[in-house]
Amino acid sequence: MSWQATVLTLFPEMFPGPLGLSLAGRALETGVWSCRTHDLRQHGLGRHRAVDDTPFGGGAGMVIRADVADAALSALDAPKEMPRVFMTPRGYPLRQKDVSRYAQGPGVVLMCGRFEGVDERVLNAHSVEQVSIGDYVLSGGETAALVLLDACVRLLPGVMGSHESGVEESFSDGLLEYPHYTRPATWQGHDVPEVLLSGNHAAIAAWRQKQAEEITRERRPDLWSAWLARREKNEAATGLSGQVRQTGL
Ligand code: SAH
């Protein structure tokens, strides 16, 4: 059975969009996954099919109404166990581990916000998870939904060429990935790091590990401290840290 994406949106034409091309597009054609949209507007009210209203408490902008969002969520025939996710900068940050949880399940229902967002009561009533793709504000949830779907679809069985490329990459072990080099070995006077040409697999692995650690420490202090804490815990568990302390390393 294929992995099922259902997207609730005011702009159904945005899907599958870029995911209709390349790896994800081929997987869509071969039925590895499917992408359905559900137009929020069809649940709009009155002659103009209004979906939004002014916020209680005042303030700028409009909010998608509780009754409209509820009608849309209730009309879906997606299985109950399929996660319902609202894309919002107020959400929990999307991590690779969440992506792989979604990819391992039957699919996702994604709700794309517009304006200031959606009435909070509906999100609670439908047990909707709230997810952010980063600390910046987009004009709508559609591009965020495409990001989440892209990250999930590439993990589905058979989508990526080599199995390994999904295992050994940024975040898989808590570090950012090491840098990559390919031909020509000398380009505009710049050589690739010598160790990569050595054929010494252990030395190459050690160099890559060190690069990954340095890049993570510099670019992502948050990931770096989490990784250090995990390493310390592992070493304590295997009794290594005591030895290290004794030898003063
Ligand atoms: N006023 C809101 C932002 C609204 S942006 C706030 O400050 O929280 C309009 C819509 O774009 C949101 O409802 C959400 O669906 C989407 N969106 C914007 N930024 C996002 C992000 N970083 N991650 C996920 N969705 C986002």
Side-chain angles (χ1 to χ4, degrees):
M1 225 193 49
S2 72
W3 193 84
Q4 200 181 87
T6 305
V7 185
L8 256 167
T9 169
L10 284 166
F11 297 95
E13 309 84 350
M14 287 196 187
F15 296 87
L19 300 183
L21 302 165
S22 190
L23 284 183
R26 211 166 314 133
L28 196 55
E29 268 168 34
T30 56
V32 175
W33 70 296
S34 66
C35 186
R36 305 187 294 177
T37 52
H38 190 95
D39 192 349
L40 199 57
R41 186 69 66 186
Q42 76 189 73
H43 303 282
L45 307 172
R47 206 157 55 86
H48 298 293
R49 298 239 161 251
V51 297
D52 56 331
D53 215 321
T54 53
F56 282 126
M62 301 292 272
V63 177
I64 297 178
R65 290 174 58 106
D67 44 5
V68 173
D70 172 60
L73 281 163
S74 305
L76 300 177
D77 63 356
K80 259 206 156 56
E81 67 277 9
M82 202 175 272
R84 269 65 173 165
V85 179
F86 177 55
M87 309 310 304
T88 167
R90 300 178 55 248
Y92 292 97
L94 182 68
R95 305 270 185 240
Q96 189 63 21
K97 66 173 163 44
D98 308 307
V99 168
S100 87
R101 169 169 58 91
Y102 294 139
Q104 278 161 30
V108 284
V109 174
L110 300 181
M111 188 167 179
C112 305
R114 281 275 154 179
F115 324 115
E116 296 310 312
V118 178
D119 188 292
E120 191 78 11
R121 293 166 297 177
V122 184
L123 301 176
N124 295 334
H126 286 268
S127 305
V128 176
E129 298 177 30
Q130 301 194 37
V131 168
S132 165
I133 65 156
D135 294 343
Y136 38 78
V137 180
L138 305 167
S139 53
E142 287 76 11
T143 44
L146 288 168
V147 166
L148 189 152
L149 292 177
D150 183 347
C152 289
V153 167
R154 66 191 285 284
L155 295 185
L156 300 176
V159 173
M160 259 190 302
S162 118
H163 175 63
E164 265 157 29
S165 56
V167 175
E168 195 188 302
E169 59 187 358
S170 292
F171 313 116
S172 54
D173 64 352
L175 293 176
L176 302 179
E177 202 178 50
Y178 49 80
H180 303 282
Y181 300 90
T182 184
R183 273 172 272 282
T186 300
W187 172 76
Q188 297 192 352
H190 301 283
D191 295 333
V192 305
E194 216 178 306
V195 63
L196 298 179
L197 307 175
S198 69
N200 179 339
H201 296 298
I204 292 171
W207 181 85
R208 286 180 165 166
Q209 176 69 19
K210 188 154 171 284
Q211 290 286 317
E213 290 176 17
E214 274 172 17
I215 289 166
T216 307
R217 185 164 48 111
E218 185 185 314
R219 297 184 186 172
R220 293 294 301 273
D222 55 329
L223 295 180
W224 178 242
S225 19
W227 186 81
L228 281 180
R230 221 170 25 248
R231 185 174 69 176
E232 201 159 292
K233 211 171 123 204
N234 287 343
E235 284 173 355
T238 55
L240 252 178
S241 67
Q243 282 170 28
V244 170
R245 252 181 240 123
Q246 275 165 24
T247 55
L249 285 173

